Amino acid sequence: MKIFSLGLLMLMFSFSAFSQDCEVKIPELTGEYEGKCKRGSAHGKGKAVGEDTYEGNFKKGYPDGKGIYTFANGNVYEGEFDKGLKAGEGTMTFASDDVPAMVGYWIDDEYAGKDKKVHNVIDRSTSIKTVRFRRISGDANQITFKFANQGKPVKSSNVTFECPNAVFVSGTDFEAVYSISEFPVKGNLIFRAAGLRTANGSSDFVSGQAEFEITFRGDWEVTVEMNNNE
């Protein structure tokens, strides 16, 4: 009886692992799925065949992790994915021999180049502790500058971004937004912001500058963290 029960459990596991009811959430991969499932979605190692074909790691129904994606037109991407999008290191080879392979790094399904790092601080004043970069999306080409002290937003004034590709759009006491006509972009940020704390706990406004470059297009948020004497 125990042997029969064990065999039945193995059969049920096998059926669940190769069930057509295991959802793949990329329309071009909808068709046949063979692999691991979790809560009704492809999760773990698997292979999905539809208009396109993908074999590799899945997470919650999406290609996620390392895998090989073969497009209907014969192009093949082998590399890393994040929630169904090419993200990280990978290589795209094309069906046409006339088109060279694209080797390097990908962000939000777009080729970002051969360098992993798409932003770099060239120089900064001693009033700055660090400069943080965050790509919000690829929907707009702009940079929003923000300022912080011990991780909390602080007021700024006289914010200027010296860059031929940048045009000031809007600003408040806490941020300044610049539209970017073309990437890569390289410029020098000049400002005054709340920085070093005085003995009574108040924050003096101090001057600062940071020269940096961003090589990949998008809607970026650049946060300048001020130094603190505490």
Side-chain angles (χ1 to χ4, degrees):
M1 180 63 72
K2 289 185 178 180
I3 295 177
F4 174 79
S5 299
L6 180 60
L8 180 60
L9 286 173
M10 291 178 66
L11 180 63
M12 291 174 64
F13 173 80
S14 176
F15 176 79
S16 65
F18 294 93
S19 172
Q20 299 298 316
D21 294 333
C22 193
E23 184 182 12
V24 176
K25 296 180 180 179
I26 301 295
E28 292 79 5
L29 296 176
T30 301
E32 298 180 1
Y33 174 75
E34 204 173 87
K36 293 184 177 180
C37 288
K38 185 176 180 180
R39 297 177 181 175
S41 295
H43 194 94
K45 295 290 184 181
K47 181 178 180 179
V49 179
E51 179 183 343
D52 301 336
T53 301
Y54 172 79
E55 185 170 5
N57 200 63
F58 286 84
K59 185 177 180 180
K60 296 181 179 180
Y62 293 96
D64 197 290
K66 293 184 178 181
I68 301 174
Y69 195 112
T70 303
F71 296 85
N73 61 6
N75 297 342
V76 178
Y77 171 80
E78 182 174 358
E80 298 174 322
F81 291 82
D82 181 35
K83 297 179 181 178
L85 303 178
K86 296 185 288 292
E89 190 172 6
T91 299
M92 175 75 83
T93 54
F94 298 90
S96 173
D97 295 333
D98 298 331
V99 182
M102 299 173 69
V103 181
Y105 295 88
W106 304 74
I107 298 175
D108 294 339
D109 225 32
E110 295 185 56
Y111 182 63
K114 294 184 178 181
D115 295 327
K116 183 177 183 179
K117 195 172 183 179
V118 296
H119 47 75
N120 179 49
V121 176
I122 301 168
D123 184 39
R124 71 173 188 263
S125 59
T126 56
S127 58
I128 298 174
K129 181 178 180 180
T130 187
V131 181
R132 299 192 298 270
F133 298 83
R134 183 170 74 96
R135 187 174 185 265
I136 299 172
S137 72
D139 297 335
N141 289 334
Q142 67 179 28
I143 300 176
T144 300
F145 294 105
K146 296 185 176 183
F147 302 86
N149 189 347
Q150 293 187 320
K152 297 179 180 180
V154 295
K155 291 183 178 181
S156 60
S157 64
N158 303 330
V159 178
T160 302
F161 185 44
E162 296 179 338
C163 174
N165 300 349
V167 176
F168 178 76
V169 175
S170 63
T172 67
D173 288 341
F174 291 91
E175 66 179 38
V177 181
Y178 280 78
S179 174
I180 306 300
S181 60
E182 184 180 0
F183 282 88
V185 63
K186 181 179 179 180
N188 190 40
L189 175 67
I190 302 172
F191 62 90
R192 286 181 58 80
L196 298 175
R197 292 186 182 276
T198 62
N200 63 10
S202 63
S203 294
D204 287 336
F205 271 67
V206 295
S207 299
Q209 70 84 29
E211 184 181 3
F212 66 90
E213 62 181 346
I214 300 175
T215 61
F216 189 57
R217 73 172 193 88
D219 183 359
W220 287 89
E221 183 179 274
V222 176
T223 301
V224 176
E225 180 77 29
M226 304 301 294
N227 261 322
N228 199 293
N229 63 350
E230 292 184 345

